[in-house]
PDB file of all heavy atoms in Angstrom:
ATOM      1  N   GLN C   1       0.792  -1.194   0.001  1.00  0.00           N
ATOM      2  CA  GLN C   1       0.050   0.028  -0.008  1.00  0.00           C
ATOM      3  C   GLN C   1       0.856   1.278   0.082  1.00  0.00           C
ATOM      4  O   GLN C   1       0.624   2.230  -0.692  1.00  0.00           O
ATOM      5  CB  GLN C   1      -0.978   0.008   1.215  1.00  0.00           C
ATOM      6  CG  GLN C   1      -2.117   0.915   1.104  1.00  0.00           C
ATOM      7  CD  GLN C   1      -3.025   0.594   0.101  1.00  0.00           C
ATOM      8  OE1 GLN C   1      -3.108  -0.484  -0.491  1.00  0.00           O
ATOM      9  NE2 GLN C   1      -3.798   1.568  -0.279  1.00  0.00           N
ATOM     10  N   ALA C   2       1.920   1.237   0.875  1.00  0.00           N
ATOM     11  CA  ALA C   2       2.795   2.449   0.745  1.00  0.00           C
ATOM     12  C   ALA C   2       3.495   2.654  -0.547  1.00  0.00           C
ATOM     13  O   ALA C   2       3.587   3.792  -0.992  1.00  0.00           O
ATOM     14  CB  ALA C   2       3.846   2.200   1.874  1.00  0.00           C
ATOM     15  N   LEU C   3       3.914   1.527  -1.169  1.00  0.00           N
ATOM     16  CA  LEU C   3       4.491   1.685  -2.567  1.00  0.00           C
ATOM     17  C   LEU C   3       3.615   2.232  -3.534  1.00  0.00           C
ATOM     18  O   LEU C   3       3.843   3.000  -4.359  1.00  0.00           O
ATOM     19  CB  LEU C   3       5.047   0.338  -2.967  1.00  0.00           C
ATOM     20  CG  LEU C   3       6.385  -0.031  -2.284  1.00  0.00           C
ATOM     21  CD1 LEU C   3       6.675  -1.532  -2.601  1.00  0.00           C
ATOM     22  CD2 LEU C   3       7.548   0.750  -2.723  1.00  0.00           C
ATOM     23  N   ALA C   4       2.379   1.792  -3.459  1.00  0.00           N
ATOM     24  CA  ALA C   4       1.295   2.253  -4.294  1.00  0.00           C
ATOM     25  C   ALA C   4       1.048   3.709  -4.144  1.00  0.00           C
ATOM     26  O   ALA C   4       0.813   4.474  -5.171  1.00  0.00           O
ATOM     27  CB  ALA C   4      -0.085   1.587  -4.026  1.00  0.00           C
ATOM     28  N   GLU C   5       1.014   4.217  -2.903  1.00  0.00           N
ATOM     29  CA  GLU C   5       0.795   5.625  -2.570  1.00  0.00           C
ATOM     30  C   GLU C   5       1.999   6.468  -3.162  1.00  0.00           C
ATOM     31  O   GLU C   5       1.898   7.557  -3.646  1.00  0.00           O
ATOM     32  CB  GLU C   5       0.780   5.867  -1.130  1.00  0.00           C
ATOM     33  CG  GLU C   5      -0.503   5.429  -0.560  1.00  0.00           C
ATOM     34  CD  GLU C   5      -0.596   5.436   1.038  1.00  0.00           C
ATOM     35  OE1 GLU C   5       0.272   6.193   1.563  1.00  0.00           O
ATOM     36  OE2 GLU C   5      -1.509   4.801   1.566  1.00  0.00           O
ATOM     37  N   GLY C   6       3.245   5.897  -3.129  1.00  0.00           N
ATOM     38  CA  GLY C   6       4.360   6.565  -3.700  1.00  0.00           C
ATOM     39  C   GLY C   6       4.268   6.783  -5.142  1.00  0.00           C
ATOM     40  O   GLY C   6       4.557   7.834  -5.728  1.00  0.00           O
ATOM     41  N   ILE C   7       3.837   5.752  -5.790  1.00  0.00           N
ATOM     42  CA  ILE C   7       3.700   5.770  -7.386  1.00  0.00           C
ATOM     43  C   ILE C   7       2.601   6.859  -7.724  1.00  0.00           C
ATOM     44  O   ILE C   7       2.741   7.720  -8.580  1.00  0.00           O
ATOM     45  CB  ILE C   7       3.196   4.363  -7.973  1.00  0.00           C
ATOM     46  CG1 ILE C   7       4.362   3.466  -7.789  1.00  0.00           C
ATOM     47  CG2 ILE C   7       2.705   4.556  -9.324  1.00  0.00           C
ATOM     48  CD1 ILE C   7       5.620   3.833  -8.567  1.00  0.00           C
ATOM     49  N   ARG C   8       1.466   6.901  -6.796  1.00  0.00           N
ATOM     50  CA  ARG C   8       0.448   7.842  -7.173  1.00  0.00           C
ATOM     51  C   ARG C   8       0.816   9.378  -6.724  1.00  0.00           C
ATOM     52  O   ARG C   8       0.081  10.251  -7.163  1.00  0.00           O
ATOM     53  CB  ARG C   8      -0.803   7.408  -6.254  1.00  0.00           C
ATOM     54  CG  ARG C   8      -1.405   6.211  -6.853  1.00  0.00           C
ATOM     55  CD  ARG C   8      -2.809   5.902  -6.320  1.00  0.00           C
ATOM     56  NE  ARG C   8      -3.404   4.942  -6.987  1.00  0.00           N
ATOM     57  CZ  ARG C   8      -3.797   3.769  -6.496  1.00  0.00           C
ATOM     58  NH1 ARG C   8      -3.438   3.455  -5.153  1.00  0.00           N
ATOM     59  NH2 ARG C   8      -4.277   2.743  -7.104  1.00  0.00           N
ATOM     60  N   LEU C   9       1.981   9.559  -6.192  1.00  0.00           N
ATOM     61  CA  LEU C   9       2.455  10.819  -6.080  1.00  0.00           C
ATOM     62  C   LEU C   9       2.853  11.392  -7.473  1.00  0.00           C
ATOM     63  O   LEU C   9       2.900  12.657  -7.644  1.00  0.00           O
ATOM     64  CB  LEU C   9       3.645  10.897  -5.074  1.00  0.00           C
ATOM     65  CG  LEU C   9       3.399  10.681  -3.695  1.00  0.00           C
ATOM     66  CD1 LEU C   9       4.684  10.622  -2.870  1.00  0.00           C
ATOM     67  CD2 LEU C   9       2.577  11.742  -3.077  1.00  0.00           C
ATOM     68  N   PHE C  10       3.246  10.435  -8.362  1.00  0.00           N
ATOM     69  CA  PHE C  10       3.691  10.952  -9.730  1.00  0.00           C
ATOM     70  C   PHE C  10       2.664  10.834 -10.735  1.00  0.00           C
ATOM     71  O   PHE C  10       2.668  11.565 -11.556  1.00  0.00           O
ATOM     72  CB  PHE C  10       4.947  10.097 -10.060  1.00  0.00           C
ATOM     73  CG  PHE C  10       6.125  10.176  -9.235  1.00  0.00           C
ATOM     74  CD1 PHE C  10       6.307   9.274  -8.180  1.00  0.00           C
ATOM     75  CD2 PHE C  10       6.976  11.349  -9.425  1.00  0.00           C
ATOM     76  CE1 PHE C  10       7.495   9.493  -7.295  1.00  0.00           C
ATOM     77  CE2 PHE C  10       8.172  11.458  -8.531  1.00  0.00           C
ATOM     78  CZ  PHE C  10       8.317  10.492  -7.430  1.00  0.00           C
ATOM     79  N   ASP C  11       1.648   9.926 -10.429  1.00  0.00           N
ATOM     80  CA  ASP C  11       0.502   9.791 -11.302  1.00  0.00           C
ATOM     81  C   ASP C  11      -0.687   9.400 -10.594  1.00  0.00           C
ATOM     82  O   ASP C  11      -0.788   8.247 -10.105  1.00  0.00           O
ATOM     83  CB  ASP C  11       0.746   8.738 -12.447  1.00  0.00           C
ATOM     84  CG  ASP C  11      -0.447   8.517 -13.396  1.00  0.00           C
ATOM     85  OD1 ASP C  11      -1.435   9.365 -13.232  1.00  0.00           O
ATOM     86  OD2 ASP C  11      -0.283   7.736 -14.197  1.00  0.00           O
ATOM     87  N   GLU C  12      -1.556  10.342 -10.274  1.00  0.00           N
ATOM     88  CA  GLU C  12      -2.827  10.096  -9.469  1.00  0.00           C
ATOM     89  C   GLU C  12      -3.695   9.227 -10.102  1.00  0.00           C
ATOM     90  O   GLU C  12      -4.572   8.525  -9.404  1.00  0.00           O
ATOM     91  CB  GLU C  12      -3.396  11.288  -8.971  1.00  0.00           C
ATOM     92  CG  GLU C  12      -3.970  12.161 -10.166  1.00  0.00           C
ATOM     93  CD  GLU C  12      -4.555  13.431  -9.645  1.00  0.00           C
ATOM     94  OE1 GLU C  12      -4.057  14.180  -8.792  1.00  0.00           O
ATOM     95  OE2 GLU C  12      -5.583  13.999 -10.286  1.00  0.00           O
ATOM     96  N   ASP C  13      -3.578   8.934 -11.348  1.00  0.00           N
ATOM     97  CA  ASP C  13      -4.554   7.988 -12.071  1.00  0.00           C
ATOM     98  C   ASP C  13      -3.781   6.659 -12.371  1.00  0.00           C
ATOM     99  O   ASP C  13      -4.357   5.820 -13.245  1.00  0.00           O
ATOM    100  CB  ASP C  13      -4.900   8.554 -13.421  1.00  0.00           C
ATOM    101  CG  ASP C  13      -5.690   9.897 -13.213  1.00  0.00           C
ATOM    102  OD1 ASP C  13      -6.475  10.042 -12.412  1.00  0.00           O
ATOM    103  OD2 ASP C  13      -5.599  10.902 -14.037  1.00  0.00           O
ATOM    104  N   ALA C  14      -2.721   6.379 -11.757  1.00  0.00           N
ATOM    105  CA  ALA C  14      -2.046   5.188 -11.841  1.00  0.00           C
ATOM    106  C   ALA C  14      -2.898   3.894 -11.626  1.00  0.00           C
ATOM    107  O   ALA C  14      -3.842   3.993 -10.647  1.00  0.00           O
ATOM    108  CB  ALA C  14      -0.794   5.036 -10.972  1.00  0.00           C
ATOM    109  N   PHE C  15      -2.697   2.884 -12.272  1.00  0.00           N
ATOM    110  CA  PHE C  15      -3.463   1.646 -12.066  1.00  0.00           C
ATOM    111  C   PHE C  15      -2.593   0.775 -11.232  1.00  0.00           C
ATOM    112  O   PHE C  15      -1.430   0.465 -11.628  1.00  0.00           O
ATOM    113  CB  PHE C  15      -3.860   0.911 -13.311  1.00  0.00           C
ATOM    114  CG  PHE C  15      -4.433  -0.474 -13.094  1.00  0.00           C
ATOM    115  CD1 PHE C  15      -5.818  -0.580 -12.742  1.00  0.00           C
ATOM    116  CD2 PHE C  15      -3.713  -1.674 -13.213  1.00  0.00           C
ATOM    117  CE1 PHE C  15      -6.278  -1.898 -12.459  1.00  0.00           C
ATOM    118  CE2 PHE C  15      -4.203  -2.834 -12.988  1.00  0.00           C
ATOM    119  CZ  PHE C  15      -5.420  -2.966 -12.617  1.00  0.00           C
ATOM    120  N   VAL C  16      -2.951   0.443  -9.956  1.00  0.00           N
ATOM    121  CA  VAL C  16      -2.157  -0.374  -9.124  1.00  0.00           C
ATOM    122  C   VAL C  16      -2.927  -1.622  -8.568  1.00  0.00           C
ATOM    123  O   VAL C  16      -4.053  -1.572  -8.106  1.00  0.00           O
ATOM    124  CB  VAL C  16      -1.681   0.414  -7.866  1.00  0.00           C
ATOM    125  CG1 VAL C  16      -0.874  -0.446  -6.910  1.00  0.00           C
ATOM    126  CG2 VAL C  16      -0.990   1.711  -8.216  1.00  0.00           C
ATOM    127  N   HIS C  17      -2.322  -2.732  -8.930  1.00  0.00           N
ATOM    128  CA  HIS C  17      -2.959  -4.039  -8.417  1.00  0.00           C
ATOM    129  C   HIS C  17      -2.108  -4.688  -7.384  1.00  0.00           C
ATOM    130  O   HIS C  17      -1.034  -4.828  -7.573  1.00  0.00           O
ATOM    131  CB  HIS C  17      -3.125  -4.855  -9.730  1.00  0.00           C
ATOM    132  CG  HIS C  17      -3.741  -6.285  -9.431  1.00  0.00           C
ATOM    133  ND1 HIS C  17      -5.111  -6.374  -9.111  1.00  0.00           N
ATOM    134  CD2 HIS C  17      -3.252  -7.575  -9.382  1.00  0.00           C
ATOM    135  CE1 HIS C  17      -5.378  -7.635  -8.892  1.00  0.00           C
ATOM    136  NE2 HIS C  17      -4.287  -8.283  -9.106  1.00  0.00           N
ATOM    137  N   ILE C  18      -2.797  -5.042  -6.262  1.00  0.00           N
ATOM    138  CA  ILE C  18      -2.099  -5.626  -5.186  1.00  0.00           C
ATOM    139  C   ILE C  18      -2.786  -6.999  -4.927  1.00  0.00           C
ATOM    140  O   ILE C  18      -3.992  -6.939  -4.853  1.00  0.00           O
ATOM    141  CB  ILE C  18      -2.185  -4.883  -3.846  1.00  0.00           C
ATOM    142  CG1 ILE C  18      -1.435  -3.439  -4.181  1.00  0.00           C
ATOM    143  CG2 ILE C  18      -1.542  -5.509  -2.711  1.00  0.00           C
ATOM    144  CD1 ILE C  18      -1.605  -2.492  -2.939  1.00  0.00           C
ATOM    145  N   LYS C  19      -2.033  -8.122  -4.833  1.00  0.00           N
ATOM    146  CA  LYS C  19      -2.718  -9.343  -4.579  1.00  0.00           C
ATOM    147  C   LYS C  19      -1.701 -10.341  -3.776  1.00  0.00           C
ATOM    148  O   LYS C  19      -0.421 -10.017  -3.762  1.00  0.00           O
ATOM    149  CB  LYS C  19      -3.030 -10.100  -5.929  1.00  0.00           C
ATOM    150  CG  LYS C  19      -1.822 -10.550  -6.668  1.00  0.00           C
ATOM    151  CD  LYS C  19      -2.238 -11.428  -7.854  1.00  0.00           C
ATOM    152  CE  LYS C  19      -1.101 -11.990  -8.511  1.00  0.00           C
ATOM    153  NZ  LYS C  19      -1.275 -13.117  -9.224  1.00  0.00           N
ATOM    154  N   GLU C  20      -2.164 -11.243  -3.123  1.00  0.00           N
ATOM    155  CA  GLU C  20      -1.443 -12.123  -2.410  1.00  0.00           C
ATOM    156  C   GLU C  20      -0.683 -13.140  -3.367  1.00  0.00           C
ATOM    157  O   GLU C  20      -1.137 -13.564  -4.352  1.00  0.00           O
ATOM    158  CB  GLU C  20      -2.306 -13.057  -1.527  1.00  0.00           C
ATOM    159  CG  GLU C  20      -2.764 -12.460  -0.214  1.00  0.00           C
ATOM    160  CD  GLU C  20      -3.642 -13.445   0.602  1.00  0.00           C
ATOM    161  OE1 GLU C  20      -2.946 -13.934   1.442  1.00  0.00           O
ATOM    162  OE2 GLU C  20      -4.877 -13.445   0.449  1.00  0.00           O
ATOM    163  N   SER C  21       0.626 -13.275  -3.023  1.00  0.00           N
ATOM    164  CA  SER C  21       1.465 -14.174  -3.925  1.00  0.00           C
ATOM    165  C   SER C  21       0.946 -15.632  -3.814  1.00  0.00           C
ATOM    166  O   SER C  21       0.474 -16.104  -2.743  1.00  0.00           O
ATOM    167  CB  SER C  21       2.863 -14.097  -3.502  1.00  0.00           C
ATOM    168  OG  SER C  21       3.516 -15.032  -4.204  1.00  0.00           O
ATOM    169  N   GLN C  22       0.926 -16.340  -4.917  1.00  0.00           N
ATOM    170  CA  GLN C  22       0.678 -17.766  -5.013  1.00  0.00           C
ATOM    171  C   GLN C  22       1.834 -18.581  -4.425  1.00  0.00           C
ATOM    172  O   GLN C  22       1.650 -19.795  -4.249  1.00  0.00           O
ATOM    173  CB  GLN C  22       0.265 -18.185  -6.344  1.00  0.00           C
ATOM    174  CG  GLN C  22      -0.954 -17.493  -6.950  1.00  0.00           C
ATOM    175  CD  GLN C  22      -2.190 -17.533  -6.006  1.00  0.00           C
ATOM    176  OE1 GLN C  22      -2.599 -18.819  -5.703  1.00  0.00           O
ATOM    177  NE2 GLN C  22      -2.959 -16.598  -5.690  1.00  0.00           N
ATOM    178  N   ASP C  23       2.985 -18.071  -4.478  1.00  0.00           N
ATOM    179  CA  ASP C  23       4.275 -18.770  -4.248  1.00  0.00           C
ATOM    180  C   ASP C  23       4.656 -18.691  -2.736  1.00  0.00           C
ATOM    181  O   ASP C  23       5.251 -19.625  -2.098  1.00  0.00           O
ATOM    182  CB  ASP C  23       5.476 -18.297  -4.959  1.00  0.00           C
ATOM    183  CG  ASP C  23       5.091 -18.413  -6.445  1.00  0.00           C
ATOM    184  OD1 ASP C  23       4.509 -19.360  -6.971  1.00  0.00           O
ATOM    185  OD2 ASP C  23       5.485 -17.507  -7.198  1.00  0.00           O
ATOM    186  N   ASP C  24       4.371 -17.659  -1.992  1.00  0.00           N
ATOM    187  CA  ASP C  24       4.871 -17.524  -0.631  1.00  0.00           C
ATOM    188  C   ASP C  24       3.840 -16.671   0.085  1.00  0.00           C
ATOM    189  O   ASP C  24       2.874 -16.225  -0.365  1.00  0.00           O
ATOM    190  CB  ASP C  24       6.294 -17.046  -0.424  1.00  0.00           C
ATOM    191  CG  ASP C  24       6.449 -15.726  -1.486  1.00  0.00           C
ATOM    192  OD1 ASP C  24       5.574 -15.091  -1.693  1.00  0.00           O
ATOM    193  OD2 ASP C  24       7.664 -15.614  -1.900  1.00  0.00           O
ATOM    194  N   ASP C  25       4.231 -16.049   1.250  1.00  0.00           N
ATOM    195  CA  ASP C  25       3.471 -15.180   2.073  1.00  0.00           C
ATOM    196  C   ASP C  25       3.592 -13.665   1.623  1.00  0.00           C
ATOM    197  O   ASP C  25       3.206 -12.760   2.488  1.00  0.00           O
ATOM    198  CB  ASP C  25       3.773 -15.340   3.506  1.00  0.00           C
ATOM    199  CG  ASP C  25       3.281 -16.645   4.062  1.00  0.00           C
ATOM    200  OD1 ASP C  25       2.434 -17.308   3.479  1.00  0.00           O
ATOM    201  OD2 ASP C  25       4.026 -17.163   5.037  1.00  0.00           O
ATOM    202  N   PHE C  26       4.203 -13.375   0.589  1.00  0.00           N
ATOM    203  CA  PHE C  26       4.397 -11.968   0.141  1.00  0.00           C
ATOM    204  C   PHE C  26       3.134 -11.471  -0.547  1.00  0.00           C
ATOM    205  O   PHE C  26       2.206 -12.182  -0.947  1.00  0.00           O
ATOM    206  CB  PHE C  26       5.620 -12.007  -0.751  1.00  0.00           C
ATOM    207  CG  PHE C  26       6.886 -11.845  -0.091  1.00  0.00           C
ATOM    208  CD1 PHE C  26       7.283 -12.856   0.830  1.00  0.00           C
ATOM    209  CD2 PHE C  26       7.808 -10.911  -0.433  1.00  0.00           C
ATOM    210  CE1 PHE C  26       8.495 -12.811   1.468  1.00  0.00           C
ATOM    211  CE2 PHE C  26       9.036 -10.721   0.173  1.00  0.00           C
ATOM    212  CZ  PHE C  26       9.408 -11.804   1.189  1.00  0.00           C
ATOM    213  N   TRP C  27       3.148 -10.147  -0.817  1.00  0.00           N
ATOM    214  CA  TRP C  27       2.079  -9.439  -1.452  1.00  0.00           C
ATOM    215  C   TRP C  27       2.738  -8.905  -2.745  1.00  0.00           C
ATOM    216  O   TRP C  27       3.818  -8.278  -2.735  1.00  0.00           O
ATOM    217  CB  TRP C  27       1.599  -8.340  -0.589  1.00  0.00           C
ATOM    218  CG  TRP C  27       0.669  -8.798   0.468  1.00  0.00           C
ATOM    219  CD1 TRP C  27       1.168  -9.146   1.743  1.00  0.00           C
ATOM    220  CD2 TRP C  27      -0.680  -8.919   0.526  1.00  0.00           C
ATOM    221  NE1 TRP C  27       0.174  -9.703   2.389  1.00  0.00           N
ATOM    222  CE2 TRP C  27      -0.999  -9.542   1.713  1.00  0.00           C
ATOM    223  CE3 TRP C  27      -1.711  -8.794  -0.440  1.00  0.00           C
ATOM    224  CZ2 TRP C  27      -2.386  -9.820   2.075  1.00  0.00           C
ATOM    225  CZ3 TRP C  27      -3.104  -9.066  -0.102  1.00  0.00           C
ATOM    226  CH2 TRP C  27      -3.453  -9.565   1.147  1.00  0.00           C
ATOM    227  N   GLU C  28       2.066  -9.232  -3.859  1.00  0.00           N
ATOM    228  CA  GLU C  28       2.613  -8.691  -5.253  1.00  0.00           C
ATOM    229  C   GLU C  28       1.925  -7.412  -5.609  1.00  0.00           C
ATOM    230  O   GLU C  28       0.758  -7.285  -5.327  1.00  0.00           O
ATOM    231  CB  GLU C  28       2.316  -9.726  -6.272  1.00  0.00           C
ATOM    232  CG  GLU C  28       3.186 -10.972  -6.010  1.00  0.00           C
ATOM    233  CD  GLU C  28       2.917 -12.086  -7.046  1.00  0.00           C
ATOM    234  OE1 GLU C  28       2.003 -11.922  -8.002  1.00  0.00           O
ATOM    235  OE2 GLU C  28       3.516 -13.162  -6.936  1.00  0.00           O
ATOM    236  N   ILE C  29       2.630  -6.528  -6.142  1.00  0.00           N
ATOM    237  CA  ILE C  29       2.078  -5.284  -6.436  1.00  0.00           C
ATOM    238  C   ILE C  29       2.602  -4.912  -7.941  1.00  0.00           C
ATOM    239  O   ILE C  29       3.843  -5.111  -8.312  1.00  0.00           O
ATOM    240  CB  ILE C  29       2.484  -4.020  -5.649  1.00  0.00           C
ATOM    241  CG1 ILE C  29       2.096  -2.713  -6.264  1.00  0.00           C
ATOM    242  CG2 ILE C  29       3.955  -3.981  -5.365  1.00  0.00           C
ATOM    243  CD1 ILE C  29       2.293  -1.541  -5.360  1.00  0.00           C
ATOM    244  N   ILE C  30       1.638  -4.581  -8.885  1.00  0.00           N
ATOM    245  CA  ILE C  30       1.921  -4.218 -10.196  1.00  0.00           C
ATOM    246  C   ILE C  30       1.306  -2.871 -10.333  1.00  0.00           C
ATOM    247  O   ILE C  30       0.164  -2.486 -10.118  1.00  0.00           O
ATOM    248  CB  ILE C  30       1.295  -5.101 -11.236  1.00  0.00           C
ATOM    249  CG1 ILE C  30       1.745  -6.509 -11.016  1.00  0.00           C
ATOM    250  CG2 ILE C  30       1.534  -4.599 -12.696  1.00  0.00           C
ATOM    251  CD1 ILE C  30       3.251  -6.776 -11.367  1.00  0.00           C
TER     252      ILE C  30
END
């Protein structure tokens, strides 16, 4: 979420997708 907010500082219309990883306990962000 913090990384997504950082990207939105440069583009408030950015598309950010966050989901649980299928491989481990991490969260993936695109």
